[in-house]
Amino acid sequence: MNKILLIIITGLLTFSVFMVPNLQDIQMVEASNDDFNEDQQKFLEYLNEFRKDAGLNEITLNPILNKAAENHAYYFINNWDLSNLYGEIEGNEGFTGKDVYDRIIAAGGDVDLASRSFDKMIANFSYDSVEAVKRFLNGAWGRYEFIDPRTEEIGVALISGVWVFIAAVNPDMEPDIMYYPYDGQEDVVPYYSALYSLSQWDPLENFYDEGFVDNTPGFIISFTPPTYTENIKAIIVNSKGEEIPFYEDKLYTIQFLPKEHLEPLETYTVSVDYEDGLDGNKIKNKTWSFTTGDKTYSGSIIKKPEPVEPQPSEPTVPNDPVQPTEPVQPQPTQKPITYVDFNQNEYWAENMLWAIDYGLIQGYKDVENPKTGVFENLLKPYNVLTEAQFLTILCRYKYSHEFATTVRKEVDFWASVQYQLAEKYNLPTNSSLTDKSYADKPITRGKMAQILASAHFQKEVSEEDAVQFMYDAFLSNGYPAEDGSFPRTYESFGADKNLARAHIVTFMKNYHNYLESPK
């Protein structure tokens, strides 16, 4: 099975020749009217029809979000940096902001609109905006802005094959369950296929050890409770009442992956018992049904994309606990590195790309995937982070020159330089050069906060004070209470919980933004 995926959308990178707009003709200023083009109008009509059928609220096109999306599409066309889909580099032609927040401000939006907006993007897309939505809905992780009850305003731009979408949610609306396919939906594709979706996440990644080798399971069913919980029990049955076996992935949201293709023209019922954190952790039930279409992809005419060979990466030394690497600052012009487990629709995607570009995360280059036996490049975003790994990231960010030039005191200890610097700057690590027992053990959120805050204030601070710093610097909101609010207390921070690599790149990007923001 070929699992090689590019950082851009699989199967859609065909490297066409584009007519590049003249930037002198592009007005990088605030949006001033709602004169939407045909593609934007068609996109809005389709999405509102879909949301109405799904029992969701109507949404509107926002001219400021449209303008921000257009600006970024023009920027990308003129700079074409596939390793940095969502970011912009100051000084490049058409620059209007490093991220979607800044680009919305540049287009005339206020802080409120910018802070509640999220973006998606596709490069070399040969269809219209409606087809983009259909493909995102067919994937595993890209459908949520389209089915989120809190989505109120959107912006979209499709220019020379570059598609940019921005959604603004209502943060004051209480979270509700999200599920897909929606109740009563018909013509659902009976199987999952990467050809008909915009998802780089391999939906079977966590299940190869169970012997599943077919890369086209049944159509992926998603269910998101109001607050995250693993206290959930689901059953899927066909019209005869026969149970359908499925894999269940409970990471951040719930995915049900039927182990075999669903039958065409068949009705399936999904029943989920879940714990509602907004209602005293009561056990509630959601039951709904949908009907599949025939075995062909329905809803639009699809031209199968030509297969694309992955772009070769520059040779580097694997960054693992045995062989650490020196920090590398990737150049904006270098070819994109292929990571098979990168998912641009995840909350951490933009932060991960930033961390790669900043040299904080290099991934694991040409290592054997234990699930497939294939040598691949991996980010391993959900791997638990160890103390020494966090210290490596912190040293690359905070003490980059010293980290690159300091000589190891202990040649056989891979994290020797990291702990030498920790000792020099009085960082309160669990391990040290004399006691290495905790170096390769998971680090908790509280210990990470304490080390980061101590490095920031250049003196050792308590874990409680460090958590308060995380809140004050807007690095974290902690975990929500049962009523959905964020109390921002030491207890709600989850100090005893372990970190994953996806978590740390988010914290570090937030810390970077804090240092860059005007005080």
Side-chain angles (χ1 to χ4, degrees), residues 316-327 362 388 392 396 403 408 411-418:
T316 59
V317 180
N319 175 22
D320 56 40
V322 179
Q323 290 185 318
T325 63
E326 297 298 327
Q362 295 174 1
T392 302
R396 284 173 175 164
F403 185 58
R408 293 188 191 183
V411 178
D412 294 330
F413 181 34
W414 78 271
S416 176
V417 172
Q418 291 89 317

Side-chain angles (χ1 to χ4, degrees), residues 455-468:
H456 176 79
F457 291 108
Q458 301 180 36
K459 64 178 182 180
E460 183 173 346
V461 301
S462 68
E463 191 168 283
E464 290 76 10
D465 288 340
V467 169
Q468 189 59 49

Side-chain angles (χ1 to χ4, degrees), residues 175-467:
D176 199 356
I177 58 174
M178 292 187 289
Y179 58 95
Y180 190 80
Y182 60 76
D183 191 23
Q185 185 169 348
E186 299 179 346
D187 211 22
V188 174
V189 184
Y191 55 90
Y192 168 81
S193 173
L195 290 177
Y196 306 140
S197 69
L198 295 177
S199 177
Q200 293 168 269
W201 170 67
D202 178 358
L204 303 173
E205 180 180 9
N206 296 327
F207 306 107
Y208 287 110
D209 290 341
E210 300 183 30
F212 193 77
V213 295
D214 186 356
N215 65 349
T216 53
F219 189 82
I220 298 172
I221 302 164
S222 60
F223 179 83
T224 306
T227 58
Y228 180 75
T229 177
E230 290 195 359
N231 188 5
I232 189 169
K233 184 178 181 181
I235 184 173
I236 304 173
V237 299
N238 60 19
S239 61
K240 300 176 182 177
E242 299 168 334
E243 290 192 24
I244 306 302
F246 59 89
Y247 294 121
E248 185 174 303
D249 195 324
K250 295 181 178 179
L251 191 60
Y252 301 110
T253 187
I254 314 298
Q255 307 282 352
F256 305 127
L257 291 76
K259 295 183 178 182
E260 298 179 357
H261 293 186
L262 300 179
E263 292 295 323
L265 304 176
E266 173 65 285
T267 298
Y268 293 89
T269 299
V270 186
S271 181
V272 182
D273 293 327
Y274 65 96
E275 184 178 75
D276 188 348
L278 297 182
D279 192 12
N281 293 329
K282 292 181 180 177
I283 301 298
K284 296 185 177 181
N285 175 269
K286 176 63 182 179
T287 299
W288 76 97
S289 300
F290 63 89
T291 302
T292 55
D294 59 28
K295 289 188 177 181
T296 61
Y297 178 76
S298 55
S300 60
I301 299 174
I302 295 296
K303 179 182 178 181
K304 180 178 179 180
E306 294 296 324
V308 178
E309 292 296 326
Q311 297 298 312
S313 61
E314 298 297 327
T316 59
V317 180
N319 175 22
D320 56 40
V322 179
Q323 290 185 318
T325 63
E326 297 298 327
V328 176
Q329 296 293 337
Q331 298 301 313
T333 56
Q334 76 178 69
K335 295 178 180 178
I337 297 174
T338 301
Y339 294 106
V340 300
D341 53 355
F342 179 84
N343 175 19
Q344 75 160 13
N345 300 315
E346 267 290 10
Y347 78 92
W348 47 258
E350 187 169 345
N351 300 325
M352 187 69 77
L353 292 177
W354 168 83
I356 293 170
D357 185 64
Y358 212 89
L360 305 186
I361 296 288
Q362 295 174 1
Y364 300 81
K365 309 299 191 310
D366 198 27
V367 295
E368 184 176 3
N369 188 329
K371 297 179 179 178
T372 64
V374 178
F375 282 82
E376 301 166 321
N377 298 330
L378 302 171
L379 287 171
K380 302 184 180 180
Y382 306 122
N383 274 26
V384 173
L385 196 74
T386 68
E387 181 182 88
Q389 288 171 337
F390 167 65
L391 201 56
T392 302
I393 292 170
L394 181 63
C395 287
R396 284 173 175 164
Y397 184 87
K398 199 76 173 174
Y399 318 114
S400 57
H401 178 71
E402 289 179 274
F403 185 58
T405 58
T406 301
V407 177
R408 293 188 191 183
K409 288 184 177 179
E410 297 187 32
V411 178
D412 294 330
F413 181 34
W414 78 271
S416 176
V417 172
Q418 291 89 317
Y419 282 97
Q420 288 169 225
L421 294 176
E423 180 177 312
K424 176 179 179 179
Y425 291 102
N426 298 314
L427 302 183
T429 56
N430 286 325
S431 274
S432 65
L433 291 175
T434 56
D435 180 6
K436 310 175 184 66
S437 57
Y438 285 91
D440 293 324
K441 291 183 178 180
I443 188 172
T444 63
R445 289 165 59 93
K447 176 55 68 174
M448 177 278 301
Q450 186 184 19
I451 295 173
L452 178 60
S454 297
H456 176 79
F457 291 108
Q458 301 180 36
K459 64 178 182 180
E460 183 173 346
V461 301
S462 68
E463 191 168 283
E464 290 76 10
D465 288 340
V467 169

